[in-house]
Amino acid sequence: MSNVNQNLLNQVIDANVMTTILESLATVQAALPDSTLTPEQRSSLNAISVNNKVFAEEVLNEMDTNPIAAVNATYNRDYLANDLQLFGQGETIETRLMDLLQRVRDLKRMAGHETYGMATGAYGMIEVLARTGVPGAQNSYNRLKVRFEGQGGRPSDDGETP
């Protein structure tokens, strides 16, 4: 049997560190250009594939090395260059945030797994103690068993299903 007290992450984030993390995230958010889209805009604005990004870079290169007056008069080369640069910066930030998000999700999964595992183990012990008449255990069991009502299982001594 494994050690019921084994805990991969027996720690919490210090309150000052948590404050620093949240302030840092707020700083990042405030530093980004306002780019909030409505749901309609999200569904109507085109994303860009790798091939389309390369194509846009080639167009910018053509505008720089072989300027055609009609094209340069109609399309602002600087806007295209800025959008390409911002897209690249967004990709870099997104990659870092995705790595960070995966790390936070892994942290939550480990903590959640250990939390629920220990809680159900302790609940099982409370159930046994209640069945054997240990003082105080029945009240705890009655309060906690609500979590498992309607989920099947074996009928308890009082005819209810835990």
Side-chain angles (χ1 to χ4, degrees):
M1 179 175 182
S2 66
N3 182 351
V4 295
N5 287 315
Q6 179 183 10
N7 201 310
L8 298 173
L9 289 174
N10 187 24
Q11 64 186 59
V12 296
I13 299 171
D14 177 79
N16 291 332
V17 173
M18 190 68 185
T19 298
T20 300
I21 290 170
L22 295 176
E23 287 172 352
S24 297
L25 291 172
T27 300
V28 169
Q29 186 174 5
L32 295 174
D34 182 22
S35 57
T36 305
L37 299 175
T38 65
E40 295 78 24
Q41 290 170 317
R42 281 188 193 101
S43 65
S44 68
L45 294 178
N46 294 326
I48 189 169
S49 67
V50 171
N51 291 338
N52 290 344
K53 180 180 178 250
V54 169
F55 173 74
E57 291 167 340
E58 290 173 353
V59 168
L60 179 62
N61 185 52
E62 286 299 316
M63 291 176 82
D64 288 341
T65 59
N66 187 23
I68 301 171
V71 173
N72 288 350
T74 306
Y75 295 97
N76 188 313
R77 177 251 176 249
D78 292 339
Y79 289 178
L80 176 57
N82 288 344
D83 287 343
L84 274 168
Q85 183 177 356
L86 181 60
F87 182 83
Q89 291 168 328
E91 280 187 317
T92 299
I93 294 167
E94 181 182 37
T95 299
R96 294 286 301 271
L97 289 174
M98 294 299 288
D99 290 344
L100 179 60
L101 181 59
Q102 187 61 58
R103 191 167 173 187
V104 170
R105 286 180 174 158
D106 290 348
L107 178 102
K108 285 177 53 186
R109 181 168 298 274
M110 286 191 312
H113 173 80
E114 291 173 355
T115 297
Y116 189 68
M118 241 185 263
T120 55
Y123 169 75
M125 185 175 277
I126 290 169
E127 180 181 17
V128 169
L129 295 173
R131 290 182 189 279
T132 59
V134 172
Q138 189 64 51
N139 287 338
S140 293
Y141 174 69
N142 289 342
R143 207 166 34 85
L144 296 171
K145 71 179 182 179
V146 174
R147 163 63 180 88
F148 299 102
E149 287 179 355
Q151 293 188 4
R154 65 185 189 289
S156 63
D157 292 338
D158 57 8
E160 295 181 17
T161 303

